[in-house]
Amino acid sequence: MELLRFFTAGNVDDGKSTLIGRLLFDSKSISTDIIEALTKQSKTSGIDTGIDLALLTDGLRAEREQGITIDVAYKYFTTERRKFIIADTPGHIQYTRNMFTGASNADLAIILVDARNGITDQTKRHSIISSILGIPHVLVCVNKMDLVNYSQERFDEIVNDYKEFAAPLNLKQISFIPASALAGDNVVERSEFMNWYEGETLMQFLENVKIDVVNSEGASRFQVQYVIRPQTNNLHDYRGYAGKVLSGSYKKGDRVLVLPSNIETTIEKLEKHQAEIEVANALDPVIIHLKDDVDISRGSTIVKINETPQTEREVNATLCWMDNNAFLPGQKLILQQNSFRTKAIVKDVVSKIDIHSFRQFESDGGMKLNDICKVSLKTAEPISFDAYKENRHTGSFILINENTNNTVAAGTID
Amino acid sequence: MSKLDYLDQLENEAIHILREVAGQFEKPALLFSGGKDSICLVHLALKAFRPGKFPFPLVHVDTGHNFPEALKYRDDLVEKIGEKLIVRKVEDTVKAKKLQDAKGKFPSRNALQTYTLLEVIEEFEFDACIGGARRDEEKARAKERIFSVRDEFGQWDPKKQRPEFWNIYNGKINKGENVRIFPISNWTELDVWNYIKREKIELPSIYFTHERECVVTESGQLMANSEYLQLDASDKIITTQVRYRTVGDMTCTAAIESEAYHIDDIINEIKEAKISERGATRMDDRISEAAMEDRKKGGYF
């Protein structure tokens, strides 16, 4: 069985919670005691007609009190074909960082559009974030079709508007489904009122959409997480580099380069789950043994000699600033890329991206909460990387405030 | 490359997280309760670190109300894998701090164990505690990060959660703070059982059907009859075939009537089950809608 991670973005008003509720209900993923608790809560919140599905996903007291989603909630359901992980993210602009959190790992974005309102600022914002994060698929779910008389004309209009808006975003794949989450049209059951639509229902789409296996293709990348040295009598000379194959594959005998020290050596042995293996594939958690005694520690990268990444002390990146405190020019930061950490400074804030138009504007050099900017960074140690669009694992990083230890920014390398 | 099975993906993610703990922290610990989730963590740690030793001890906060089967399992496991176990008893904390011990018919030390947990963290200066909590268990848990920073008082502040991107985990903390780490956040109850089946992991016997003397509570739950309960003549006691869906304390974990003898029976039972894991078995989460959120804010796991 496969695993698909997707995120939904939107407000309660867009019917996002109803949609998730419908998927969970119809796949029988909600237990009776939880339904009971919800019915009780719905009544105390003054909702008499059945269950308020927003309460299902809004788990914190403040969220229930304010009737909004503040933080990401993870929900799970399984069908015969797939296990699904839903990151239910807030739609409001002030919680963009939480949306980033939920979206960064996703294979698919579901963007909800209210059929009455068409494309809004929020639709644009969520699409642009999906573009920056390189989400492989975007599904535009045109919801509340029942409120526009299931009009094909209205649906087509929204599809055209969206395509026009999204043209510069370089989204890899876009799909459209007309639906009504409340009435159940085209979510799990095919709608009786939209015979003009011949595509998949949402559930069919989720079960069939191709999951990219980008990791297995492209250059081989491995980063050391932890060095295993038992130093016991019978394993006196054992020295294994534990980590995850980020992309590509490795096999015994491969000539490799250790970065950033730039030393060539050979893979002597590969282990996984306490057994020797011949080939290590993408995402495999393995232990690599090298022929030569080389300078290598946590954060070092091992690549094949003919597939070297860039190794530099300067990188250009797109940054989303996540901290409540604005960026201070000259501020010392720590850059973390997977397990690799080095000190860094933002040398230049080149431009600011307008989150609703994708246009770049001249920067005043500052960055505030939820700003998305093009920057150039300088690092203390050289960093081995690929462009984010080539490799999501080696092209992404976070910035940490050296003083507060908070994660203050997420970055994708241009 | 053939596509990875979902259990492989979940396993890979958990091993990656465990190795990040080893790489980022000076003094981590693995909280071990003897329940299936923490047993899976130990299994994953073997995969992550063997042939090396675990870079952390197992820590058991012993409420004194454990199932004897779970304690025996714990001791056997520790002996088999040859790792260090630290046990701290809630009873000792209650005495030393002159706390009010749990009272009532079904005295639950669930709230009291937070004191012992915070004490053991302080005693050993643990900077990271790995736990087997899952996001599908409860809706406050569904909002928690995989690396969850706690302040000096062990408190979770949901409004100050660090954003968490891709598979990059920021475990940097100030002195006195610690991080709770949840490697199996994305697993559901059914995933755990499917994994136990696939990996042939041995479990304490009480997860499987057995005959037991139980007290029937007012709401119809079945509580194991034990010396810890304060019963009176009016209490209804029956002997029946039960098993446990979760292993917590004898005083606050209810059994379910079940004939499930084999792991396949259990998996079918859970697929068919209409009541959630916590709803079926925990008395402590029924108190209020935000019971778990409040306990986490107070330092609970």
Side-chain angles (χ1 to χ4, degrees):
Chain A
M1 195 159 69
E2 295 173 325
L3 174 65
L4 180 79
R5 294 173 196 254
F6 67 93
F7 79 97
T8 53
N11 288 320
V12 176
D13 300 344
D14 302 321
K16 178 191 62 158
S17 301
T18 316
L19 187 80
I20 292 175
R22 171 82 44 199
L23 288 171
L24 297 178
F25 263 126
D26 291 358
S27 60
K28 300 191 176 65
S29 310
I30 309 177
S31 317
T32 47
D33 58 316
I34 291 174
I35 294 173
E36 237 172 72
L38 282 175
T39 316
K40 210 165 71 190
Q41 269 173 261
S42 303
K43 279 184 185 141
T44 36
S45 330
I47 294 156
D48 302 323
T49 49
I51 297 171
D52 179 2
L53 285 165
L55 294 172
L56 186 70
T57 45
D58 291 338
L60 302 173
R61 187 180 277 133
E63 294 177 316
R64 287 195 293 277
E65 280 165 7
Q66 295 168 47
I68 53 164
T69 309
I70 295 172
D71 214 328
V72 193
Y74 294 90
K75 293 281 157 193
Y76 306 85
F77 72 99
T78 308
T79 64
E80 286 301 312
R81 296 196 54 179
R82 280 182 175 168
K83 173 186 164 88
F84 298 94
I85 301 181
I86 314 176
D88 179 22
T89 68
H92 298 262
I93 190 161
Q94 65 264 43
Y95 303 119
T96 298
R97 64 176 156 187
N98 301 337
M99 190 183 148
F100 250 79
T101 292
S104 63
N105 271 332
D107 305 303
L108 163 75
I110 297 185
I111 294 177
L112 275 167
V113 174
D114 185 325
R116 295 169 302 175
N117 305 333
I119 312 294
T120 61
D121 272 1
Q122 181 171 282
T123 320
K124 294 177 181 174
R125 194 165 65 239
H126 296 164
S127 304
I128 287 167
I129 289 172
S130 300
S131 160
I132 289 170
L133 288 171
I135 310 292
H137 300 267
V138 170
L139 171 67
V140 179
C141 181
V142 181
N143 193 27
K144 303 196 184 181
M145 286 299 291
D146 52 326
L147 301 182
V148 295
N149 297 317
Y150 298 105
S151 156
Q152 179 179 12
E153 206 176 304
R154 180 64 184 141
F155 177 71
D156 289 344
E157 192 181 3
I158 291 170
V159 169
N160 288 331
D161 285 354
Y162 189 87
K163 282 183 175 162
E164 195 184 308
F165 151 75
L169 299 188
N170 293 318
L171 294 171
K172 288 175 199 155
Q173 255 182 312
I174 312 174
S175 309
F176 300 88
I177 295 179
S180 166
L182 197 67
D185 294 291
N186 288 342
V187 180
V188 176
E189 302 292 328
R190 178 159 288 282
S191 172
E192 294 169 38
F193 307 106
M194 289 182 275
N195 290 328
W196 47 265
Y197 174 73
E198 289 172 346
E200 293 172 309
T201 62
L202 177 61
M203 189 65 100
Q204 286 172 330
F205 176 86
L206 291 174
E207 288 196 315
N208 295 329
V209 63
K210 192 172 162 287
I211 302 169
D212 281 13
V213 279
V214 274
N215 301 46
S216 61
E217 293 146 18
S220 298
R221 300 287 181 252
F222 175 91
Q223 221 189 46
V224 179
Q225 287 187 272
Y226 182 67
V227 182
I228 295 179
R229 282 196 308 144
Q231 291 177 302
T232 51
N233 285 338
N234 54 342
L235 292 166
H236 192 74
D237 296 322
Y238 185 101
R239 192 183 174 87
Y241 304 106
K244 182 170 75 180
V245 178
L246 299 168
S247 56
S249 64
Y250 293 83
K251 61 180 193 302
K252 194 175 161 173
D254 277 347
R255 287 293 288 167
V256 292
L257 196 63
V258 177
L259 296 166
S261 51
N262 223 12
I263 297 164
E264 236 184 273
T265 177
T266 304
I267 293 182
E268 189 180 54
K269 192 166 93 170
L270 290 163
E271 281 180 282
K272 183 181 159 190
H273 306 334
Q274 301 177 64
E276 200 172 332
I277 53 168
E278 289 300 311
V279 182
N281 289 311
L283 298 181
D284 277 349
V286 294
I287 299 172
I288 293 184
H289 297 259
L290 299 174
K291 257 210 177 97
D292 306 289
D293 226 356
V294 297
D295 172 24
I296 179 165
S297 55
R298 177 174 158 83
S300 294
T301 298
I302 300 174
V303 301
K304 290 186 192 165
I305 47 165
N306 52 354
E307 297 178 348
T308 50
Q310 292 189 69
T311 301
E312 315 270 349
R313 285 183 56 206
E314 279 183 39
V315 289
N316 295 321
T318 306
L319 216 61
C320 182
W321 192 258
M322 305 284 174
D323 203 31
N324 292 335
N325 299 317
F327 162 72
L328 295 171
Q331 189 174 3
K332 285 208 178 58
L333 299 159
I334 295 160
L335 179 148
Q336 183 177 345
Q337 173 219 36
N338 295 305
S339 307
F340 171 76
R341 275 187 193 153
T342 178
K343 288 191 180 190
I345 52 165
V346 177
K347 250 178 48 187
D348 188 19
V349 183
V350 182
S351 61
K352 192 174 152 178
I353 296 172
D354 180 75
I355 191 80
H356 297 122
S357 69
F358 206 46
R359 294 224 307 271
Q360 288 188 40
F361 292 94
E362 205 172 311
S363 152
D364 58 5
M367 284 186 280
K368 294 190 305 292
L369 177 64
N370 297 325
D371 278 355
I372 296 178
C373 299
K374 295 272 180 194
V375 301
S376 64
L377 290 151
K378 197 170 162 68
T379 57
E381 311 288 329
I383 164 176
S384 297
F385 64 91
D386 300 281
Y388 184 78
K389 64 176 192 299
E390 305 288 330
N391 194 321
R392 257 168 115 173
H393 299 270
T394 52
S396 56
F397 63 88
I398 61 170
L399 294 177
I400 301 167
N401 180 317
E402 219 180 24
N403 180 238
T404 62
N405 292 325
N406 281 331
T407 304
V408 295
T412 59
I413 299 174
D414 292 341
Chain B
M1 188 190 87
S2 63
K3 277 178 193 152
L4 282 175
D5 184 65
Y6 79 107
L7 285 178
D8 291 323
Q9 289 197 47
L10 293 174
E11 178 185 71
N12 292 352
E13 182 179 72
I15 292 172
H16 177 250
I17 293 162
L18 286 170
R19 286 172 171 173
E20 279 305 290
V21 176
Q24 291 199 30
F25 296 93
E26 300 283 327
K27 282 196 155 184
L30 189 151
L31 298 187
F32 185 79
S33 69
K36 65 181 187 315
D37 300 318
S38 57
I39 290 169
C40 279
L41 286 181
V42 170
H43 186 81
L44 290 160
L46 289 168
K47 291 200 174 199
F49 302 112
R50 284 291 185 262
K53 282 271 200 192
F54 289 2
F56 39 70
L58 309 188
V59 171
H60 183 218
V61 173
D62 182 349
T63 59
H65 291 168
N66 296 292
F67 287 94
E69 294 91 336
L71 290 182
K72 180 173 183 325
Y73 179 94
R74 176 195 77 186
D75 294 337
D76 290 349
L77 177 73
V78 168
E79 200 187 310
K80 193 171 106 189
I81 63 176
E83 296 289 343
K84 192 178 169 197
L85 170 73
I86 295 168
V87 178
R88 287 294 176 272
K89 292 182 190 295
V90 170
E91 208 171 315
D92 296 336
T93 317
V94 169
K95 277 187 198 143
K97 295 212 148 152
K98 297 196 169 55
L99 299 171
Q100 176 78 58
D101 204 351
K103 287 194 292 199
K105 182 171 285 186
F106 303 104
S108 167
R109 284 180 172 158
N110 203 321
L112 288 167
Q113 64 179 329
T114 301
Y115 291 96
T116 314
L117 173 62
L118 297 180
E119 264 187 2
V120 72
I121 290 172
E122 214 173 289
E123 180 186 348
F124 292 92
E125 296 178 326
F126 291 132
D127 49 6
C129 294
I130 305 159
R134 309 186 322 262
R135 286 170 174 157
D136 79 322
E137 284 179 79
E138 206 278 334
K139 57 188 177 181
R141 286 216 201 277
K143 297 264 167 179
E144 198 165 7
R145 303 281 187 257
I146 288 173
F147 272 42
S148 179
V149 180
R150 303 298 179 91
D151 68 12
E152 289 164 76
F153 305 99
Q155 299 180 101
W156 180 54
D157 185 347
K159 286 185 184 155
K160 281 196 193 153
Q161 295 206 88
R162 285 179 184 170
E164 202 163 74
F165 309 104
W166 299 287
N167 304 307
I168 308 177
Y169 301 104
N170 172 11
K172 282 186 77 67
I173 46 171
N174 296 309
K175 208 169 162 47
E177 293 174 337
N178 66 79
V179 185
R180 305 288 168 87
I181 289 153
F182 305 113
I184 58 166
S185 285
N186 285 324
W187 301 38
T188 62
E189 184 188 13
L190 197 55
D191 297 335
V192 170
W193 281 105
N194 280 321
Y195 187 71
I196 288 168
K197 181 186 170 185
R198 190 184 84 167
E199 299 290 309
K200 302 188 174 68
I201 299 171
E202 208 180 305
L203 290 181
S205 57
I206 56 174
Y207 278 109
F208 302 91
T209 187
H210 57 281
E211 196 178 84
R212 189 178 282 273
E213 198 178 273
C214 294
V215 182
V216 185
T217 69
E218 277 167 28
S219 58
Q221 288 190 313
L222 296 172
M223 306 301 292
N225 192 9
S226 71
E227 54 184 309
Y228 313 121
L229 305 188
Q230 309 288 323
L231 301 178
D232 54 54
S234 67
D235 284 303
K236 190 178 154 201
I237 295 171
I238 58 166
T239 301
T240 181
Q241 286 294 120
V242 296
R243 70 171 200 92
Y244 285 85
R245 224 169 131 180
T246 67
V247 170
D249 281 356
M250 292 189 86
T251 56
C252 65
T253 313
I256 54 169
E257 285 200 277
S258 168
E259 302 278 330
Y261 172 76
H262 187 264
I263 193 154
D264 288 324
D265 305 332
I266 293 178
I267 288 171
N268 283 330
E269 196 179 272
I270 293 165
K271 277 186 182 162
E272 299 295 316
K274 298 226 158 35
I275 297 185
S276 73
E277 186 178 6
R278 282 201 163 259
T281 61
R282 293 300 173 101
M283 295 180 99
D284 39 308
D285 284 330
R286 298 198 149 185
I287 304 159
S288 84
E289 283 157 21
M292 176 66 89
E293 183 178 343
D294 291 340
R295 280 190 289 145
K296 276 181 169 299
K297 283 177 178 167
Y300 184 75
F301 232 86

